[in-house]
Amino acid sequence: MNRLQKALDALVDRIDTPSPIVLVDVMQENIDRMQGFAAQHGLDLRPHVKTHKCVEIGRRQVKAGAVGITAGNVGEAEVFAAAGFDDIFIAYPVWPAGTKGPRIRKLSETTRLRVGVDNFAAIDALAGAMGDEPDRLEVVIEVDCGARRSGAPPEFAGELAAAARNRGLVPVGVFTYPGHGSAGPGSRKGAAEDQDAALTTAVRSLSAAGVSPLVVSAGSTPTVEFATNSVITEIRPGEYVFNDLNNARLGACTQDQIALFLAGTVVSDWVPDQVMLDVGTKALGREGTPEIGYGGIAGTAAVLSRLNEYHGFLPLPAGDFCPGVGTVLPVVPNHVCPVVVNFEEYIVTDSTGTSLERWRVDARGFLN
């Protein structure tokens, strides 16, 4: 029997569905494996907490050896800072409008805070937000390595760093995101090579501007296996803590390394060769395509073909898999991050399902 189903069977009378189930032993193995990879290659590990948004999990990552954490926005950083995390990188080109400027300034008073920047206007705005103490804020220049998202051209990194220095901020290095490494199984290594090239160019640009790059930060879970270029000092994977079907399809993890799934119940079976689950977009998000489906049933070939808000459409493949109404199934998401934001807590067990704890998703709802 698939171990996700085995753990679920042991819990079924003690939980409601849909609920996110975390296998803590698998999760801890993932944490330790990534930390070991970082140590083997002389890299700092700064995991991205946007994947789990959970203080308890962040503490486990730091206990294993992470140098600090990565956050996706000011709100996430505030939640973790309030819980005692004192080394935080907001890996995002924050525009400090509204309340964000004062909040960043307050965070810098209690934590070693780094913020991403990729343009001159944001540098001016951040410096202004810091008032007469801009040197309390470290900035990391974001460069684009091919994902075509945010990030300046790598050759502009030095100009941006010099501008930050001139405004009294403390430029400490560069970072990038090789998001195009998720395009398909053959894309990971090429994206990592693009990342190496972009970071190398950015480091040269910083050096030419007289800025010493203390941190050269790379992501992500799909590409981290190839992030071993000597120019890189730090890695920022996030999804590795749980993993998901997308990472398994890419070859970035195995099925046995998936640590989070949703417990979902069959609620209707009137349509021939199809059952309905209580797992829809409100639980899974909308990640998927008609070709790969919108989540899979662990240990089977069955995938959800369509989602409504509270309904998951599950065509039944040929064979003996024919779950009846009331059957609780382990649904593995394509992309784990959108699942997390839909729930206030995790149900935490192990691969035997004998233990049961509940951990808060502490930064859920903090989107700015």
Side-chain angles (χ1 to χ4, degrees), residues 45 56 63 93 95 116 131 143 150 159 195 228 302 314 318 342 368:
L45 174 60
E56 173 60 27
K63 183 179 179 181
W95 180 252
V143 299
S150 54
E159 291 181 47
Q195 174 177 253
T228 56
L314 183 68
N342 298 320
N368 56 46

Side-chain angles (χ1 to χ4, degrees), residues 228-305:
T228 56
N229 186 299
S230 60
V231 74
I232 296 170
T233 66
E234 174 183 283
I235 51 176
R236 311 182 319 276
E239 294 164 354
Y240 79 94
V241 71
F242 292 146
N243 287 314
D244 52 28
L245 284 182
N246 283 348
N247 277 295
R249 293 186 186 105
L250 290 169
C253 73
T254 68
Q255 295 278 348
D256 286 341
Q257 291 166 353
I258 294 174
L260 182 146
F261 64 94
L262 286 177
T265 300
V266 177
V267 295
S268 179
D269 64 354
W270 283 106
V271 177
D273 300 320
Q274 175 183 281
V275 296
M276 301 301 301
L277 272 65
D278 60 352
V279 175
T281 60
K282 296 292 190 185
L284 273 175
R286 296 185 180 275
E287 297 277 343
T289 66
E291 290 73 29
I292 66 171
Y294 296 85
I297 308 304
T300 78
V303 297
L304 295 164
S305 63

Side-chain angles (χ1 to χ4, degrees), residues 101-135:
R103 289 161 64 197
I104 289 171
R105 182 171 180 173
K106 185 176 180 181
L107 275 169
S108 73
E109 295 172 359
T110 59
T111 68
R112 177 185 181 181
L113 183 65
R114 294 174 177 170
V115 175
V117 294
D118 79 345
N119 61 83
F120 297 104
I123 288 169
D124 287 339
L126 285 166
M130 293 301 294
D132 58 359
E133 296 183 290
D135 58 345

Side-chain angles (χ1 to χ4, degrees), residues 329-362:
L329 298 172
V331 181
V332 183
N334 287 327
H335 184 194
V336 69
C337 298
V339 173
V340 167
V341 300
N342 298 320
F343 296 92
E344 295 183 352
E345 63 180 14
Y346 299 112
I347 293 173
V348 182
T349 186
D350 59 20
S351 295
T352 67
T354 54
S355 61
L356 191 153
E357 298 180 50
R358 296 177 187 272
W359 295 353
R360 284 187 55 79
V361 184
D362 302 275

